[in-house]
């Protein structure tokens, strides 16, 4: 069974048809740059561009970097604030000619995919997936069930939004070494561990491809820490799962 997944991010919008039996992309993903400013009109046009690249006509699942309630954006951290209050499902559906669209938080989508097909398979304790990218996304699971819209990247850490200091964008913007950045990530993980006492941290986002450069440098965390297995495709897979009613 194939369903289309689109992952809307602060820097890029990527998508592909997903094979839901394997939990993997059925074709190589297509990516376009997120327009700036990342307004609703500009972004949904880019979503249509990604979907039309494959000639796709069926249901679509889409992620969004913010809190989603009933298909509507409640927050918009790394895209234009004009998204807040917008019915994203209707906006995207209208742009795609009326096909059914399901929208969920981007990190929640990645988490659902990792729990079903990746590093979280078979784990029934408290699991926290954290995606490090333009910001820090989070997906919290207990007993295999998602607690949606946690948005733990916005926890205050030393007087700052944590994602402003520990995201991979912060690493790039400040030209931090892997060691320096790993130290910041370690402080963030320690703070989150103090609050939630997870059994497992899954580290996702594009930086998960380079996990060997920083995960061995993180010390003093009681929970097991592993890289995401689906890496940066997890959001696309999770979006497709949501559109198929499997999230």
């Amino acid at each position: 069974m194939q369903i289309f997944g689109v992952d809307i991010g602060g820097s890029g919008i990527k998508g592909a048809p997903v094979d839901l039996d394997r939990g993997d992309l059925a074709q190589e993903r297509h990516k376009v740059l997120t327009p700036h400013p990342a307004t609703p009109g500009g972004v949904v046009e880019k979503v249509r561009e990604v979907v039309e690249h494959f000639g796709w006509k069926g249901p679509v699942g889409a992620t969004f970097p913010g809190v989603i309630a009933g298909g509507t954006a409640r927050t918009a951290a790394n895209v234009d604030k004009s998204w807040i209050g917008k019915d994203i499902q209707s906006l995207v559906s209208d742009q795609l000619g009326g096909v059914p669209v399901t929208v969920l938080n981007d990190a929640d989508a990645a988490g659902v995919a990792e729990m079903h097909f990746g590093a979280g398979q078979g784990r029934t304790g408290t699991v926290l997936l954290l995606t490090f990218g333009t910001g820090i996304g989070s997906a919290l699971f207990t007993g295999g069930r998602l607690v949606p819209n946690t948005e733990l990247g916005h926890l205050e850490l030393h007087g700052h939004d944590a994602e402003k200091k520990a995201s991979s964008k912060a690493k790039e913007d400040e030209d931090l070494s892997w060691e320096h950045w790993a130290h910041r990530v370690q402080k963030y993980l320690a703070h989150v561990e103090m609050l939630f006492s997870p059994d497992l941290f899954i580290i996702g986002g594009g930086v998960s491809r380079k996990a060997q450069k920083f995960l061995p440098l993180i010390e003093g965390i009681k929970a097991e820490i592993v890289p995401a297995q689906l890496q940066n495709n997890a959001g696309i897979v999770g979006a497709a799962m949501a559109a198929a009613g499997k999230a």
Side-chain angles (χ1 to χ4, degrees):
M1 178 183 183
Q2 290 189 16
I3 295 283
F4 201 93
V6 180
D7 193 4
I8 298 171
S11 57
I13 298 167
K14 52 189 181 290
V18 174
D19 182 334
L20 290 177
D21 296 318
R22 295 187 298 116
D24 200 2
L25 307 190
Q27 298 182 51
E28 186 174 345
R29 72 186 191 188
H30 182 62
K31 181 177 180 178
V32 298
L33 294 178
T34 302
H36 290 286
T39 58
V43 168
V44 295
E45 283 184 14
K46 292 296 183 180
V47 169
R48 186 188 71 207
E49 184 180 324
V50 170
V51 175
E52 286 183 346
H53 175 81
F54 295 90
W56 185 266
K57 301 296 182 186
V60 170
T63 76
F64 182 78
V67 172
I68 298 293
T72 297
R74 290 224 182 133
T75 67
N78 292 304
V79 289
D80 197 80
K81 299 302 182 210
S82 59
W83 280 99
I84 297 172
K86 293 286 193 300
D87 181 342
I88 302 176
Q89 288 185 171
S90 295
L91 281 173
V92 177
S93 178
D94 289 349
Q95 188 72 220
L96 299 179
V99 301
V101 172
T102 305
V103 177
L104 74 166
N105 172 267
D106 54 354
D108 286 349
V112 165
E114 283 293 329
M115 290 298 286
H116 280 77
F117 296 110
Q121 282 186 88
R123 302 298 289 255
T124 57
T126 300
V127 178
L128 249 175
L129 172 123
L130 297 168
T131 58
F132 290 82
T134 307
I136 299 175
S138 62
L140 175 64
F141 295 83
T142 180
R145 296 179 66 87
L146 172 69
V147 180
N149 292 314
T150 47
E151 293 287 272
L152 300 180
H154 301 298
L155 287 171
E156 185 178 313
L157 189 61
H158 304 307
H160 298 277
D161 237 23
E163 69 177 21
K164 301 297 184 191
K165 291 293 182 179
S167 65
S168 59
K169 183 176 188 294
K171 180 187 183 303
E172 293 168 11
D173 288 351
E174 298 182 47
D175 196 23
L176 301 176
S177 67
W178 285 108
E179 290 79 7
H180 191 161
W181 184 68
H183 184 62
R184 290 192 183 184
V185 173
Q186 177 179 304
K187 286 184 176 179
Y188 173 65
L189 293 180
H191 187 55
V192 174
E193 183 167 65
M194 182 262 301
L195 294 170
F196 294 95
S197 302
D199 302 292
L200 174 68
F201 280 116
I202 302 173
I203 305 302
V207 75
S208 62
R209 290 193 299 269
K210 299 175 181 176
Q212 75 283 357
K213 291 184 179 292
F214 68 95
L215 286 190
L217 303 174
I218 294 173
E219 300 174 338
I221 305 299
K222 298 179 184 69
E224 183 183 355
I225 309 173
V226 299
Q229 291 179 9
L230 281 71
Q231 298 182 345
N232 216 16
N233 289 335
I236 296 173
V237 174
M241 289 174 66
K246 297 179 181 291

